Amino acid sequence: MYLEKLNPQQRMAVEHGTLTDGSHIAGPLLVIAGAGSGKTNTLAHRVAHLIVKGADPRRILLMTFSRRAAAEMMRRVERICRDVLGSNAGVMADALSWSGTFHGIGARLLRDYAQQIGLDADFTIHDREDSADLMNLIRHDLGFSKTESRFPTKGTCLAIYSRAVNSETALDEVLRDAFPWCAAWEKQLRELFACYVEAKQSQNVLDYDDLLLYWAQMVGESVIAEDIGSRFDHVLVDEYQDTNRLQASILLALKPGGQGLTVVGDDAQSIYSFRAATVRNILDFPAAFSPAANIVTLDRNYRSTQPILAAANAVIDLASERFTKNLWTERQSSERPRLVSVRDEADQARYVADMVLDNREEGLTLKQQAVLFRASHHSGPLEVELTRRNIPFVKFGGLKFLDSAHVKDMLAALRFAQNPRDRVAGFRLMQILPGVGPSTAQKALDLMAEDASPISALAAMPAPPRSGEDWTSFVSTLQELKSGKAGWPAEIGLARQWYAPHLERLHEDAATRQADLLQLEQIAGGYASRERFLTELTLDPPDATSDQAGVPLLDEDYLILSTIHSAKGQEWTKVFMLNVVDGCIPSDLAVGATAEIEEERRLLYVAMTRARDGLDLVVPQRFFTYGQNAQGDRHVYASRSRFIPVTLLQFFEACSWPQVKSETAAQAHVRQMRIDVGARMRGMWR
């Protein structure tokens, strides 16, 4: 029986709403899933259980934090269904087609309802960098790049706009609370954002935030909301603590009574407020669907030992507001988490390197160990020490695949063919060509914008004087891509052939970059169409590129270095946490409001609950600060994080490193020596 391996709380969540005849009338369900409590397994079992009991998989909407998480969920669902449905399991799992991220599902629905909401279904989607570039073009056109006093940069402008949209908060409040140094520019920012929205609409592009904003506006119309909601009998949402107010309002519009709605998450792991996520969504869920809401708490942990959980529970128990749960496990141990005091960051690096190597000698591979930190730069001294001692490592939280120039060039070609009114894509493409500068590209795009058939207008233009055959090749490639005659995914091969000579001309390491483009072509084969490929790749890109990820890692084993944010959802046998001091955790940039401090507390909790068997929290006693005063470098003393007050020390084994060794006779003799060096110095001149 596929439910037999579940514990009672997991089974309660899986079977919620099941009637004796096997049918489902499920009211709103909130599953509070503690760290390591089998959340993914429980959600996969619930989806599979719905299908086994007769639910139509085509009428199940499953939204996860990433597309990879959705794919993993599908694999688990099929595996569970196979126990009951046998050979039919694959067919049923494949029919579960409405699974993905909020943004990915939003993009699909916007194309489905494009006509009703005044959108062209061929819209393209800008990633963050493209959005910032468009914001910058408008910023420049409005004259804000030449103001006497410093106007916010394009990235800051986009961040302000994104925060206001996703948190559904007025601009003046966003500026006051999150960007106080920009408050004087409120009037100009309002004008900039209005022009930014108009530019996107005229170019038929949506940015990342629009996918939620348009969706929320669309379901603001009760007729459309009811129509979309009626397409799905069951709506399941993973990582609900990481949703923002827009996403919560979308769910409320789709399922106003909560019928068929299941959300899973952990308020204690809500750590993405910088993306406008709010812990209030999960905390307020019972009230939003009162009195129908059901709450199931998963508090049995399958990952960590009991002493690690006791310490983590004690840390989060001091939170000002939370769902009460104390994680427990059957995994007993006599080893408490260690609170290790070291002299400074250099000793911290040496301590971690020593312990990592000692663990390795005892049979623990490097990959089974991880070093976590609040901010990426915290690992700097450790990286130097690891390199010096030839300990291989991989650091998570770096550049993404789509951040590289050559991949962005290729995607711009496909996007411009998909939507010739996308000025950012066109502007980028045209300037790849020899002899085509910003002013020439601007004129060409202006002419295209005025024509009902932009590609035809481009073809009718005379080639710029110094562009020669490159312009002709560019136009003919666009025409062929736009026609769709080559079919997908052959179109990406066509674009790559056009781009090949420019790649050779623009980049010395063209061969390495060419490998990325071949990889991109392979990835494209997994998508049904160009539109689907561009949408999914923009919303959920692969990780690192070969040309920007550094020297290839040839070691079969390596240590994991990661920010806490990047470590969420991961686990290791042994975890080291760096800089567990005030100013680092909590960050000195996040000690203004109570909500910020509480999120920092949750960050420490997330870090602690990544460990299975061993956890070391390292506390440097002092830090060197460089060039911050007229006297040059200096050091400051640090205090242990406020999240581990004296009352919690009982949950830790406190120790110092390095341990003081007994003094040798020679050392004692040196210590007792007295030499009058001053007399010797005076004697040099007499």
Side-chain angles (χ1 to χ4, degrees), residues 328-640:
W328 64 277
T329 183
E330 293 181 347
R331 298 191 64 230
Q332 299 301 317
S333 171
S334 60
E335 183 182 337
R336 288 179 295 170
R338 288 197 288 188
L339 204 55
V340 185
S341 295
V342 295
R343 183 174 51 188
D344 52 29
E345 289 179 286
D347 267 8
Q348 176 175 245
R350 284 191 285 271
Y351 169 76
V352 171
D354 278 0
M355 293 302 104
V356 163
L357 290 178
D358 286 351
N359 292 336
R360 183 172 175 270
E361 288 303 311
E362 292 174 8
L364 204 61
T365 63
L366 296 180
K367 283 183 183 178
Q368 292 175 291
Q369 306 178 68
V371 184
L372 308 184
F373 30 86
R374 170 64 181 87
S376 184
H377 65 271
H378 288 176
S379 66
L382 176 61
E383 292 177 46
V384 173
E385 182 69 12
L386 294 174
T387 302
R388 186 183 73 79
R389 295 169 71 164
N390 196 29
I391 302 174
F393 64 89
V394 171
K395 185 175 179 180
F396 287 90
L399 287 166
K400 297 293 185 184
F401 186 74
L402 300 187
D403 289 341
S404 55
H406 54 298
V407 173
K408 288 188 74 68
D409 289 345
M410 277 285 288
L411 293 178
L414 296 172
R415 276 179 32 217
F416 199 49
Q418 180 82 12
N419 173 23
R421 299 196 185 281
D422 186 338
R423 290 182 78 92
V424 170
F427 198 68
R428 181 185 190 94
L429 275 180
M430 290 182 191
Q431 291 186 90
I432 291 173
L433 307 176
V436 178
S439 59
T440 302
Q442 200 77 38
K443 288 175 185 174
L445 291 168
D446 288 343
L447 286 170
M448 292 177 71
E450 295 167 1
D451 201 292
S453 177
I455 295 289
S456 299
L458 180 69
M461 292 178 204
R466 289 180 294 149
S467 65
E469 288 299 315
D470 288 311
W471 180 267
T472 307
S473 172
F474 166 65
V475 173
S476 62
T477 300
L478 273 181
Q479 288 176 316
E480 194 166 352
L481 288 172
K482 183 64 178 172
S483 72
K485 290 178 182 177
W488 184 259
E491 291 167 2
I492 195 168
L494 193 67
R496 185 172 57 79
Q497 290 171 18
W498 163 76
Y499 183 62
H502 301 295
L503 183 70
E504 293 280 351
R505 178 172 52 83
L506 295 170
H507 301 288
E508 291 181 4
D509 56 346
T512 304
R513 294 174 185 257
Q514 181 68 21
D516 282 339
L517 300 185
L518 289 170
Q519 182 187 354
L520 190 70
E521 199 166 339
Q522 282 185 321
I523 292 170
Y527 295 86
S529 66
R530 179 174 63 201
E531 167 260 301
R532 195 71 181 267
F533 169 72
L534 291 171
T535 298
E536 296 289 351
L537 204 67
T538 302
L539 298 183
D540 193 18
D543 288 328
T545 58
S546 56
D547 67 307
Q548 298 205 12
V551 179
L553 192 68
L554 301 180
D555 297 83
E556 78 288 351
D557 194 19
Y558 46 82
L559 181 67
I560 305 296
L561 308 187
S562 176
T563 62
I564 301 173
H565 284 101
S566 295
K568 188 168 174 291
Q570 305 297 315
E571 60 181 63
W572 295 274
T573 303
K574 177 76 177 185
V575 169
F576 300 88
M577 173 73 189
L578 302 184
N579 295 348
V580 186
V581 299
D582 256 45
C584 293
I585 182 89
S587 166
D588 54 7
L589 299 177
V591 292
T594 300
E596 292 175 327
I597 294 174
E598 289 304 315
E599 180 158 329
E600 294 291 306
R601 188 193 312 277
R602 295 193 293 269
L603 271 166
L604 179 57
Y605 173 80
V606 167
M608 293 174 69
T609 52
R610 300 310 95 199
R612 284 197 288 261
D613 296 340
L615 173 64
D616 286 9
L617 305 183
V618 191
V619 184
Q621 301 298 301
R622 63 180 182 175
F623 290 79
F624 284 94
T625 58
Y626 303 102
Q628 292 185 4
N629 63 356
Q631 286 73 43
D633 302 345
R634 64 189 180 94
H635 69 263
V636 295
Y637 288 96
S639 58
R640 187 179 66 246

Side-chain angles (χ1 to χ4, degrees), residues 122-124 126 134 137-138 195-206 415 419-426 445 449:
D122 279 337
F123 64 80
T124 47
H126 276 183
L134 180 57
L137 286 173
I138 298 158
C195 292
Y196 173 64
V197 170
E198 290 167 4
K200 286 187 295 180
Q201 291 177 356
S202 68
Q203 297 175 34
N204 195 32
V205 299
L206 301 184
R415 276 179 32 217
N419 173 23
R421 299 196 185 281
D422 186 338
R423 290 182 78 92
V424 170
L445 291 168

